[in-house]
Structure formats: C-alpha cells, structure tokens
Amino acid sequence: MTCEPPAPLWAPLPPPHRLVSLARAWLDEDLPWPDATVGVAGDAPTRAHLLSKGGGGPGGVLAGAPFAEAVFGVSGCRVTWRVPEGGSLPPGRALVAEVEGPAGGVLTGERVALNILGRCSGVASMAARAVGVARGHGWGGVVAGTRKTTPGFRLAEKYALGVGGADPHRGGLGGGLLLLKDNHRALAAAAAAAGGLEKMVLGVRRAGGFTRRVGVECSNAAEALEAAGAGADIVLLDNLSPQELHSAAAQVKAAHPRVMVEASGGVVLGTLPQFLGPHIDVVSMGCLTHSAPALDFALRVLEP
C-alpha cells in the first residue's frame, strides 16, 4: 500500500514520559483489575490487524498513532504502522497497522487505542477539510481550533488539529496568549473603571510577563478599536456577522496595522468562506474539535 507523506505537524508530541502517563490513565479508566476476560486470554504470542473502516469519506486523515502506540506499549505490545501519521486513509476498509504481543496485552489495549485513533483522526480530518476550504478560496491566513475540547483529552485533540494542518490555538488559560473575554471584562469592570480597558490590558501584561501576548474579545468595531488602542496584540471579533466582521477588521487594520485580527464564533465548514478576508489573520473554529465525527477503526486478531 502506498500512502501520501504525513502532513507537517504544528503541535509537537508530548515527551515520552507524558505519553506513558496518559496511556496508563486511559487504561486505568477502561480496565478495573482484575478482568476475567483478559485473564482467560493468557500471554500467548498474538498478532492482530488494526483496520480503518471507511476513512470518514474523502479526505480522511490518520492521527493519534503515537498515543495509540503508547497504550499498546504499556500493555506489552508493539505496533508496526502501515499508514503514516498524517497520511490519507483509503475510502474502504484498509490495513493501518499490525499489533504483536501477549494475547492479554492486545485485548487490554484494543478499545482504548481504537478510541484514540477514531477521535484524533476525526479531528485531524475536519481540520484538513477546513484548511482546504480556506486555501481553495485563496486565503493564506491561519485556521485554528479553540479550547472547546474533551476534558482529559485536550492534549491529543490539540495535537490532532496540528496533524490536520490547523493551528491548535492556546493550550489553556495559562498559555502564551492571555485572552480577556467578555466575562473577564464584566467581572473586572468596576475595578478597572478608573483606567478602563487600557488599565486591564496593562495589568494583565504585567502579571503575565513580557513573553506573552494579550488578546481581547470584542463584539463590535468600537470595542475592537478601543482594545487595539489600549495595547492589545490580538483583537478577537466574536459572533459578528460577516459584513460587520469585515468592516470592523478593516477599521482596526487601518488604525493599528500591526494588531492581529481573529474571527470567531459559530464558524463551520459551510460558512467558513464568508469569514475569510484580507483584514482577517486568523479564523478559529470550535467545531473542529467539539463537532468532529470520530472515524471508525477495528482490531482483528489473526489465527495462529
């Protein structure tokens, strides 16, 4: 089988000890000890085929292989991949990898590894489609995810966004971007009354240190211009109509050309083209993670 080269990975893999830690936690969730079915299987040397079951339609992308391999590694198995990470999944049933190890280990890792591959591949596939839509319309900006991820699985989903060619966005509240959202502004309004938004931005920048950028979520052009004037590095225009968005972005860029403009709020694959424009630097899409359909994988033990 020939496969396309893996897509460039934006999100780096976690270090080996973190992969093992995640694998152990996921296995602990799925395998209260003792498990009679695994015990009956024993430790006989076993081979199995890991299969994709359709690739999620055109544009299916394999993602999550390092996480799945870590799971099988913890359960005492080794994996030989036949489709590379980031490679295209064939439209029909296809061999993705071969798994070898003790029978009990193969069965222990099976469901956890399949769930990882299904979820990560679904996210990577949707990310790849979104990037394809943007590039197909001649837009060279950044398609990004958001923090709308599955609790306990964020690291893998952020990684999968990168496999699909999208920017994972900030990893959490303490990441490289300090984002003042509408609720932050509402809670801090009284305290910041004396200095307004400029005081808030300055306070956050001092608290966060010189290595971090500050972003401000805005709901109209006036707020965006105020945020840019207050020293924000990034202005996030949230839940604006396409017409309002492009008008506000143009005003910000005219007055503050170095400020980055991000569009967000309810953007899906079908509406993405409406949010692409010459004054938009980033379009962030929560649907890439919270609405990505998982792809289907299966494991078939081979007879001795």
Side-chain angles (χ1 to χ4, degrees):
M1 170 185 286
T2 59
C3 305
E4 295 181 4
L9 302 183
W10 187 96
L13 271 173
H17 75 275
R18 186 72 186 278
L19 281 174
V20 171
S21 177
L22 287 168
R24 290 185 184 280
W26 291 330
L27 286 168
D28 284 343
E29 177 188 53
D30 193 52
L31 186 69
W33 193 261
D35 178 60
T37 62
V38 171
V40 168
D43 293 327
T46 301
R47 294 176 59 244
H49 281 172
L50 200 160
L51 309 165
S52 63
K53 299 168 66 176
V61 175
L62 177 68
F67 296 90
E69 186 169 337
V71 166
F72 278 122
V74 169
S75 67
C77 303
R78 59 184 178 275
V79 184
T80 303
W81 296 95
R82 301 306 182 193
V83 176
E85 182 81 334
S88 297
L89 290 169
R93 197 177 185 90
L95 176 64
V96 171
E98 296 176 5
V99 181
E100 298 178 83
V106 172
L107 297 181
T108 295
E110 174 184 4
R111 178 41 54 193
V112 176
L114 295 180
N115 288 348
I116 291 168
L117 291 175
R119 182 71 184 137
C120 287
S121 297
V123 170
S125 298
M126 183 169 277
R129 292 186 185 106
V131 172
V133 168
R135 300 298 176 256
H137 283 77
W139 186 71
V142 176
V143 175
T146 69
R147 282 172 50 238
K148 295 180 179 179
T149 55
T150 307
F153 204 62
R154 173 174 291 177
L155 196 153
E157 288 176 346
K158 290 285 190 178
Y159 168 81
L161 285 168
V163 174
D167 188 300
H169 214 286
R170 57 184 181 148
L173 293 174
L177 170 64
L178 302 172
L179 182 60
L180 286 167
K181 295 176 69 69
D182 54 351
N183 286 332
H184 291 106
R185 295 176 61 177
L187 290 170
L197 183 58
E198 185 173 357
K199 182 177 180 181
M200 291 178 62
V201 170
L202 181 60
V204 169
R205 192 180 298 282
R206 284 176 174 169
F210 75 94
T211 63
R212 297 178 179 178
R213 293 188 294 177
V214 177
V216 180
E217 182 181 275
C218 305
S219 59
N220 55 55
E223 289 182 0
L225 287 168
E226 182 187 9
D233 302 296
I234 301 173
V235 169
L236 191 154
L237 297 171
D238 191 46
N239 289 312
L240 276 67
S241 69
Q243 183 176 359
E244 293 172 326
L245 169 71
H246 295 303
S247 174
Q251 293 178 59
V252 170
K253 287 293 190 181
H256 306 277
R258 295 187 179 181
V259 171
M260 182 174 288
V261 175
E262 176 180 347
S264 184
V267 185
V268 297
L269 288 178
T271 62
L272 175 57
Q274 301 174 41
F275 294 86
L276 308 176
H279 306 296
I280 306 298
D281 300 296
V282 181
V283 177
S284 52
M285 305 172 65
C287 68
L288 299 184
T289 48
H290 71 61
S291 296
L295 303 194
D296 199 5
F297 293 83
L299 190 78
R300 294 289 177 264
V301 171
L302 304 179
E303 295 183 4

Coordinates of all heavy atoms in Angstrom, one line a residue, residues 80-164:
T80 N 3.4 -1.9 14.3 CA 4.1 -1.6 13.1 C 3.0 -0.9 12.2 O 2.0 -1.5 11.8 CB 4.6 -2.8 12.3 OG1 5.5 -3.5 13.2 CG2 5.3 -2.5 11.0
W81 N 3.3 0.4 11.9 CA 2.3 1.2 11.1 C 2.5 1.0 9.6 O 3.6 1.0 9.1 CB 2.4 2.7 11.5 CG 2.1 2.9 12.9 CD1 3.0 3.0 14.0 CD2 0.8 3.0 13.5 NE1 2.4 3.2 15.2 CE2 1.0 3.2 14.9 CE3 -0.5 3.0 13.0 CZ2 -0.1 3.3 15.8 CZ3 -1.5 3.2 13.9 CH2 -1.3 3.3 15.2
R82 N 1.3 0.8 9.0 CA 1.3 0.7 7.5 C 0.8 2.0 6.8 O 1.0 2.2 5.7 CB 0.4 -0.5 7.1 CG 0.9 -1.8 7.7 CD 2.3 -2.1 7.3 NE 2.7 -3.4 7.8 CZ 4.0 -3.8 7.9 NH1 5.0 -3.0 7.5 NH2 4.3 -5.0 8.3
V83 N 0.1 2.8 7.6 CA -0.3 4.2 7.1 C 0.4 5.1 8.1 O 0.3 5.0 9.3 CB -1.8 4.4 7.2 CG1 -2.1 5.8 6.8 CG2 -2.5 3.4 6.3
P84 N 1.2 6.1 7.6 CA 1.9 7.0 8.4 C 1.0 8.1 9.1 O -0.1 8.4 8.6 CB 2.9 7.7 7.5 CG 2.2 7.7 6.2 CD 1.4 6.4 6.1
E85 N 1.4 8.6 10.2 CA 0.7 9.6 10.9 C 0.5 10.8 9.9 O 1.5 11.3 9.2 CB 1.4 10.1 12.1 CG 0.8 11.2 12.9 CD -0.3 10.6 13.8 OE1 -0.9 9.5 13.5 OE2 -0.6 11.2 14.9
G86 N -0.7 11.3 9.8 CA -1.0 12.4 8.8 C -1.3 11.9 7.4 O -1.6 12.7 6.5
G87 N -1.2 10.6 7.2 CA -1.4 10.0 5.9 C -2.9 9.9 5.6 O -3.7 9.9 6.5
S88 N -3.2 9.8 4.3 CA -4.6 9.7 3.9 C -5.1 8.3 4.1 O -4.4 7.3 3.9 CB -4.8 10.0 2.4 OG -4.4 11.4 2.1
L89 N -6.3 8.2 4.6 CA -7.0 6.9 4.9 C -7.8 6.6 3.6 O -8.6 7.4 3.1 CB -7.9 7.0 6.1 CG -7.2 7.1 7.4 CD1 -8.2 7.5 8.5 CD2 -6.5 5.8 7.8
P90 N -7.6 5.4 3.1 CA -8.4 4.9 1.9 C -9.9 5.0 2.2 O -10.3 4.9 3.4 CB -7.9 3.5 1.7 CG -6.6 3.4 2.4 CD -6.7 4.3 3.6
P91 N -10.7 5.1 1.2 CA -12.1 5.2 1.4 C -12.8 3.9 1.9 O -13.8 3.9 2.5 CB -12.7 5.6 0.0 CG -11.6 5.1 -1.0 CD -10.3 5.3 -0.2
G92 N -12.2 2.8 1.6 CA -12.7 1.5 2.1 C -12.0 0.9 3.3 O -11.2 1.6 3.9
R93 N -12.3 -0.3 3.6 CA -11.6 -1.0 4.7 C -10.1 -1.2 4.3 O -9.8 -1.6 3.2 CB -12.3 -2.3 4.9 CG -12.0 -3.0 6.3 CD -12.8 -4.3 6.3 NE -12.7 -4.9 7.6 CZ -13.5 -4.7 8.6 NH1 -14.5 -3.8 8.5 NH2 -13.4 -5.3 9.8
A94 N -9.2 -0.8 5.2 CA -7.8 -0.9 4.9 C -7.0 -1.2 6.1 O -7.3 -0.8 7.3 CB -7.3 0.4 4.3
L95 N -5.8 -1.8 5.9 CA -4.9 -2.1 7.0 C -4.1 -0.9 7.4 O -3.5 -0.2 6.5 CB -3.9 -3.2 6.5 CG -2.8 -3.6 7.5 CD1 -3.4 -4.2 8.8 CD2 -1.8 -4.6 6.8
V96 N -4.2 -0.5 8.6 CA -3.5 0.7 9.1 C -2.2 0.3 9.9 O -1.2 1.0 9.8 CB -4.4 1.5 10.0 CG1 -3.7 2.6 10.7 CG2 -5.6 2.1 9.2
A97 N -2.3 -0.8 10.7 CA -1.1 -1.2 11.5 C -1.2 -2.7 11.8 O -2.3 -3.3 11.7 CB -1.0 -0.4 12.7
E98 N -0.1 -3.3 12.2 CA -0.1 -4.6 12.8 C 0.4 -4.5 14.2 O 1.3 -3.8 14.6 CB 0.9 -5.5 12.0 CG 0.5 -5.7 10.5 CD 1.5 -6.5 9.7 OE1 2.5 -7.0 10.3 OE2 1.3 -6.6 8.5
V99 N -0.3 -5.3 15.1 CA -0.1 -5.3 16.5 C 0.4 -6.7 16.9 O -0.2 -7.7 16.6 CB -1.3 -4.9 17.3 CG1 -1.0 -4.8 18.8 CG2 -1.8 -3.5 16.9
E100 N 1.5 -6.7 17.7 CA 2.0 -8.0 18.2 C 2.3 -7.9 19.7 O 2.8 -6.9 20.2 CB 3.3 -8.4 17.4 CG 3.1 -8.6 16.0 CD 4.5 -8.9 15.3 OE1 4.9 -10.1 15.3 OE2 5.1 -7.9 14.8
G101 N 2.0 -9.0 20.4 CA 2.3 -9.0 21.8 C 1.5 -10.1 22.5 O 0.8 -10.9 21.8
P102 N 1.5 -10.2 23.8 CA 0.8 -11.2 24.5 C -0.7 -11.0 24.3 O -1.2 -9.9 24.2 CB 1.2 -11.0 26.0 CG 1.7 -9.6 26.0 CD 2.3 -9.3 24.7
A103 N -1.5 -12.1 24.3 CA -2.9 -12.0 24.0 C -3.6 -11.0 24.9 O -4.4 -10.2 24.5 CB -3.6 -13.4 24.1
G104 N -3.3 -11.2 26.2 CA -4.0 -10.3 27.2 C -3.6 -8.8 26.9 O -4.5 -7.9 27.1
G105 N -2.4 -8.5 26.5 CA -2.0 -7.2 26.3 C -2.7 -6.6 25.0 O -3.1 -5.4 25.0
V106 N -2.8 -7.4 24.0 CA -3.6 -6.9 22.8 C -5.0 -6.6 23.2 O -5.5 -5.5 22.7 CB -3.5 -8.0 21.7 CG1 -4.4 -7.6 20.5 CG2 -2.1 -8.3 21.2
L107 N -5.6 -7.4 23.9 CA -7.0 -7.2 24.3 C -7.2 -6.0 25.3 O -8.1 -5.2 25.2 CB -7.7 -8.4 24.9 CG -7.8 -9.6 24.0 CD1 -8.4 -10.8 24.8 CD2 -8.5 -9.3 22.7
T108 N -6.2 -5.8 26.1 CA -6.2 -4.7 27.1 C -6.1 -3.4 26.4 O -6.8 -2.4 26.7 CB -5.0 -4.8 28.1 OG1 -5.2 -6.0 28.9 CG2 -4.9 -3.6 29.0
G109 N -5.3 -3.3 25.4 CA -5.1 -2.0 24.7 C -6.1 -1.7 23.6 O -6.2 -0.6 23.1
E110 N -6.8 -2.8 23.2 CA -7.6 -2.7 22.0 C -8.6 -1.5 22.0 O -8.5 -0.6 21.1 CB -8.4 -3.9 21.8 CG -9.4 -3.9 20.6 CD -10.3 -5.1 20.5 OE1 -10.2 -6.0 21.4 OE2 -11.1 -5.2 19.6
R111 N -9.5 -1.4 22.9 CA -10.6 -0.4 22.8 C -10.0 1.0 23.0 O -10.4 2.0 22.4 CB -11.7 -0.7 23.8 CG -12.8 0.3 23.9 CD -13.3 0.8 22.6 NE -13.6 -0.2 21.6 CZ -13.8 0.1 20.3 NH1 -13.6 1.3 19.8 NH2 -14.2 -0.9 19.5
V112 N -9.1 1.1 24.0 CA -8.5 2.5 24.3 C -7.8 3.0 23.0 O -8.0 4.2 22.6 CB -7.6 2.4 25.5 CG1 -6.9 3.8 25.7 CG2 -8.3 2.0 26.7
A113 N -7.0 2.2 22.4 CA -6.3 2.6 21.2 C -7.2 2.9 20.1 O -7.0 3.9 19.4 CB -5.3 1.5 20.8
L114 N -8.2 2.1 19.9 CA -9.2 2.4 18.8 C -9.9 3.7 19.0 O -10.2 4.5 18.1 CB -10.2 1.3 18.6 CG -9.6 -0.1 18.2 CD1 -10.7 -1.1 18.1 CD2 -8.8 0.0 16.9
N115 N -10.3 4.0 20.3 CA -11.0 5.2 20.6 C -10.1 6.4 20.3 O -10.6 7.5 19.8 CB -11.4 5.2 22.1 CG -12.6 4.3 22.4 OD1 -13.2 3.8 21.5 ND2 -12.9 4.1 23.6
I116 N -8.8 6.3 20.7 CA -7.9 7.4 20.5 C -7.8 7.7 19.0 O -7.8 8.8 18.5 CB -6.5 7.0 21.0 CG1 -6.5 7.0 22.6 CG2 -5.4 8.0 20.5 CD1 -5.3 6.4 23.2
L117 N -7.6 6.6 18.2 CA -7.4 6.8 16.7 C -8.7 7.4 16.1 O -8.6 8.3 15.3 CB -7.1 5.5 16.1 CG -5.7 4.9 16.4 CD1 -5.5 3.5 15.7 CD2 -4.6 5.8 15.8
G118 N -9.8 6.9 16.6 CA -11.1 7.4 16.0 C -11.3 8.9 16.3 O -11.6 9.6 15.4
R119 N -11.0 9.3 17.5 CA -11.3 10.7 17.9 C -10.2 11.6 17.2 O -10.6 12.6 16.7 CB -11.2 10.8 19.4 CG -11.4 12.2 19.9 CD -12.9 12.6 19.8 NE -13.1 13.9 20.2 CZ -13.9 14.8 19.5 NH1 -14.5 14.4 18.4 NH2 -14.0 16.0 19.9
C120 N -9.0 11.2 17.3 CA -7.9 12.1 16.8 C -8.0 12.2 15.3 O -7.8 13.2 14.7 CB -6.5 11.5 17.2 SG -6.1 11.8 18.9
S121 N -8.3 11.1 14.6 CA -8.4 11.1 13.1 C -9.6 11.9 12.7 O -9.6 12.6 11.7 CB -8.5 9.7 12.6 OG -7.4 8.9 12.9
G122 N -10.7 11.9 13.5 CA -11.9 12.7 13.2 C -11.5 14.2 13.2 O -11.9 15.0 12.3
V123 N -10.8 14.6 14.3 CA -10.4 16.0 14.4 C -9.5 16.4 13.3 O -9.6 17.5 12.7 CB -9.8 16.2 15.8 CG1 -9.1 17.6 15.9 CG2 -10.8 16.0 16.9
A124 N -8.5 15.6 13.1 CA -7.5 15.9 12.0 C -8.1 16.0 10.6 O -7.8 16.9 9.8 CB -6.4 14.9 12.0
S125 N -9.1 15.1 10.4 CA -9.8 15.1 9.1 C -10.6 16.4 8.9 O -10.6 17.0 7.8 CB -10.7 13.9 9.0 OG -9.9 12.7 9.0
M126 N -11.3 16.8 10.0 CA -12.1 18.0 9.8 C -11.2 19.3 9.7 O -11.5 20.2 9.0 CB -13.1 18.2 11.0 CG -14.0 19.4 10.9 SD -15.3 19.5 12.1 CE -16.5 18.5 11.3
A127 N -10.1 19.2 10.5 CA -9.1 20.4 10.4 C -8.6 20.5 8.9 O -8.5 21.6 8.4 CB -8.0 20.2 11.4
A128 N -8.2 19.3 8.4 CA -7.7 19.3 7.0 C -8.7 19.8 6.0 O -8.4 20.6 5.1 CB -7.3 17.9 6.6
R129 N -10.0 19.5 6.2 CA -11.0 20.0 5.3 C -11.2 21.5 5.4 O -11.3 22.2 4.4 CB -12.4 19.3 5.6 CG -12.4 17.8 5.2 CD -13.7 17.2 5.4 NE -13.7 15.7 5.2 CZ -13.7 14.8 6.1 NH1 -13.9 15.2 7.4 NH2 -13.7 13.5 5.8
A130 N -11.1 22.0 6.6 CA -11.2 23.5 6.9 C -10.1 24.2 6.2 O -10.3 25.2 5.5 CB -11.3 23.8 8.4
V131 N -8.9 23.7 6.4 CA -7.7 24.3 5.8 C -7.8 24.3 4.3 O -7.5 25.2 3.6 CB -6.4 23.6 6.3 CG1 -5.2 24.2 5.5 CG2 -6.2 23.9 7.7
G132 N -8.3 23.1 3.7 CA -8.5 23.0 2.3 C -9.5 24.0 1.8 O -9.3 24.6 0.7
V133 N -10.6 24.3 2.5 CA -11.6 25.3 2.1 C -10.9 26.7 2.1 O -11.1 27.4 1.1 CB -12.8 25.3 3.1 CG1 -13.7 26.5 2.8 CG2 -13.6 24.1 2.9
A134 N -10.2 27.0 3.1 CA -9.5 28.3 3.2 C -8.5 28.5 2.0 O -8.5 29.5 1.3 CB -8.8 28.5 4.5
R135 N -7.7 27.5 1.8 CA -6.7 27.6 0.7 C -7.4 27.6 -0.7 O -6.9 28.3 -1.6 CB -5.7 26.5 0.8 CG -4.9 26.4 2.1 CD -4.1 27.7 2.3 NE -3.5 27.6 3.7 CZ -3.9 28.3 4.7 NH1 -4.9 29.2 4.6 NH2 -3.3 28.3 5.9
G136 N -8.5 26.9 -0.8 CA -9.2 26.9 -2.0 C -9.8 28.2 -2.4 O -10.1 28.5 -3.6
H137 N -10.0 29.0 -1.4 CA -10.6 30.4 -1.7 C -9.4 31.4 -1.7 O -9.7 32.7 -1.7 CB -11.6 30.8 -0.6 CG -12.9 30.2 -0.8 ND1 -13.2 28.8 -0.5 CD2 -14.1 30.7 -1.3 CE1 -14.5 28.6 -0.7 NE2 -15.0 29.7 -1.2
G138 N -8.2 31.0 -1.8 CA -7.1 31.9 -1.9 C -6.7 32.6 -0.7 O -6.0 33.6 -0.7
W139 N -7.2 32.2 0.5 CA -6.9 32.9 1.7 C -5.7 32.2 2.4 O -5.6 31.0 2.6 CB -8.1 32.8 2.6 CG -8.0 33.6 3.9 CD1 -8.0 35.0 4.0 CD2 -7.9 33.1 5.2 NE1 -7.9 35.3 5.4 CE2 -7.8 34.2 6.1 CE3 -7.8 31.8 5.8 CZ2 -7.7 34.1 7.5 CZ3 -7.7 31.7 7.2 CH2 -7.6 32.8 8.0
G140 N -4.7 33.0 2.8 CA -3.5 32.4 3.4 C -3.3 32.6 4.9 O -2.2 32.4 5.4
G141 N -4.4 33.0 5.6 CA -4.3 33.1 7.0 C -4.3 31.8 7.8 O -4.2 30.8 7.2
V142 N -4.6 31.9 9.1 CA -4.5 30.8 10.0 C -5.9 30.2 10.3 O -6.7 31.0 10.8 CB -3.7 31.1 11.3 CG1 -3.7 30.0 12.2 CG2 -2.3 31.6 10.9
V143 N -6.1 29.0 10.0 CA -7.3 28.3 10.5 C -6.9 27.6 11.9 O -5.9 26.9 12.0 CB -7.8 27.2 9.6 CG1 -8.9 26.4 10.1 CG2 -8.2 27.8 8.2
A144 N -7.7 27.9 12.9 CA -7.3 27.5 14.3 C -8.4 26.8 15.0 O -9.6 27.0 14.6 CB -6.8 28.7 15.1
G145 N -8.1 26.0 16.0 CA -9.1 25.4 16.9 C -9.4 26.4 18.0 O -9.1 27.6 18.0
T146 N -10.0 25.8 19.1 CA -10.3 26.6 20.3 C -10.0 25.7 21.5 O -9.5 24.6 21.4 CB -11.7 27.1 20.3 OG1 -12.6 25.9 20.5 CG2 -12.1 27.8 19.0
R147 N -10.5 26.2 22.7 CA -10.4 25.4 23.9 C -11.6 24.5 24.1 O -11.8 23.9 25.1 CB -10.3 26.3 25.1 CG -8.9 26.9 25.3 CD -8.8 27.9 26.4 NE -9.4 27.5 27.6 CZ -10.4 28.1 28.3 NH1 -10.9 29.2 27.7 NH2 -10.9 27.7 29.4
K148 N -12.5 24.4 23.1 CA -13.7 23.5 23.2 C -13.3 22.1 22.9 O -13.5 21.5 21.8 CB -14.7 24.0 22.2 CG -15.3 25.4 22.6 CD -16.4 25.9 21.6 CE -16.9 27.3 22.0 NZ -17.9 27.8 21.1
T149 N -12.6 21.5 23.9 CA -12.1 20.2 23.7 C -12.7 19.3 24.8 O -13.3 19.7 25.7 CB -10.5 20.2 23.9 OG1 -10.2 20.8 25.1 CG2 -9.9 21.0 22.7
T150 N -12.4 18.0 24.6 CA -12.9 17.0 25.5 C -12.1 17.0 26.8 O -10.9 16.8 26.7 CB -12.9 15.6 24.9 OG1 -13.6 15.6 23.6 CG2 -13.6 14.5 25.8
P151 N -12.7 17.1 28.0 CA -11.9 17.1 29.2 C -11.1 15.8 29.3 O -11.6 14.7 29.1 CB -13.0 17.1 30.3 CG -14.1 17.9 29.7 CD -14.1 17.4 28.3
G152 N -9.8 16.0 29.7 CA -8.9 14.8 29.8 C -8.3 14.4 28.5 O -7.4 13.5 28.5
F153 N -8.7 15.0 27.4 CA -8.2 14.5 26.1 C -7.7 15.7 25.3 O -7.5 15.6 24.1 CB -9.3 13.8 25.3 CG -8.8 12.8 24.3 CD1 -8.0 11.7 24.6 CD2 -9.1 13.0 22.9 CE1 -7.5 10.9 23.7 CE2 -8.6 12.1 22.0 CZ -7.8 11.1 22.3
R154 N -7.6 16.9 25.9 CA -7.2 18.1 25.2 C -5.9 18.0 24.5 O -5.7 18.4 23.3 CB -7.2 19.3 26.1 CG -6.7 20.6 25.4 CD -6.8 21.8 26.3 NE -8.2 22.2 26.5 CZ -8.6 23.2 27.3 NH1 -7.7 23.9 27.9 NH2 -9.9 23.5 27.4
L155 N -4.9 17.4 25.1 CA -3.6 17.4 24.5 C -3.6 16.6 23.2 O -3.0 17.0 22.2 CB -2.6 16.7 25.5 CG -1.1 16.9 25.3 CD1 -0.3 16.8 26.5 CD2 -0.6 15.9 24.3
A156 N -4.3 15.5 23.2 CA -4.4 14.7 22.0 C -5.2 15.4 20.9 O -4.8 15.3 19.7 CB -5.1 13.3 22.3
E157 N -6.3 16.1 21.3 CA -7.1 16.8 20.3 C -6.3 18.0 19.7 O -6.4 18.3 18.5 CB -8.4 17.2 20.9 CG -9.3 16.0 21.1 CD -10.6 16.4 21.8 OE1 -10.7 17.5 22.4 OE2 -11.5 15.5 21.8
K158 N -5.6 18.7 20.6 CA -4.8 19.8 20.1 C -3.7 19.3 19.1 O -3.4 19.9 18.0 CB -4.1 20.5 21.2 CG -5.1 21.3 22.1 CD -5.5 22.6 21.4 CE -6.3 23.5 22.4 NZ -6.7 24.8 21.8
Y159 N -3.1 18.2 19.4 CA -2.1 17.5 18.6 C -2.8 17.2 17.2 O -2.2 17.4 16.2 CB -1.5 16.3 19.2 CG -0.7 15.4 18.3 CD1 0.6 15.7 18.0 CD2 -1.3 14.3 17.8 CE1 1.3 14.9 17.2 CE2 -0.6 13.5 16.9 CZ 0.7 13.8 16.6 OH 1.4 12.9 15.8
A160 N -4.0 16.6 17.3 CA -4.7 16.2 16.1 C -5.0 17.4 15.2 O -4.9 17.2 13.9 CB -5.9 15.4 16.4
L161 N -5.3 18.5 15.7 CA -5.5 19.7 14.9 C -4.3 20.0 14.1 O -4.4 20.3 12.9 CB -5.8 20.9 15.8 CG -7.2 21.0 16.4 CD1 -7.3 22.0 17.5 CD2 -8.3 21.2 15.4
G162 N -3.1 19.9 14.7 CA -1.9 20.2 14.0 C -1.6 19.2 12.9 O -1.1 19.5 11.9
V163 N -1.9 17.9 13.2 CA -1.8 16.9 12.1 C -2.6 17.2 10.9 O -2.2 17.0 9.8 CB -2.2 15.5 12.7 CG1 -2.1 14.4 11.6 CG2 -1.2 15.1 13.8
G164 N -3.8 17.8 11.1 CA -4.7 18.2 10.0 C -4.3 19.5 9.4 O -4.9 19.9 8.4

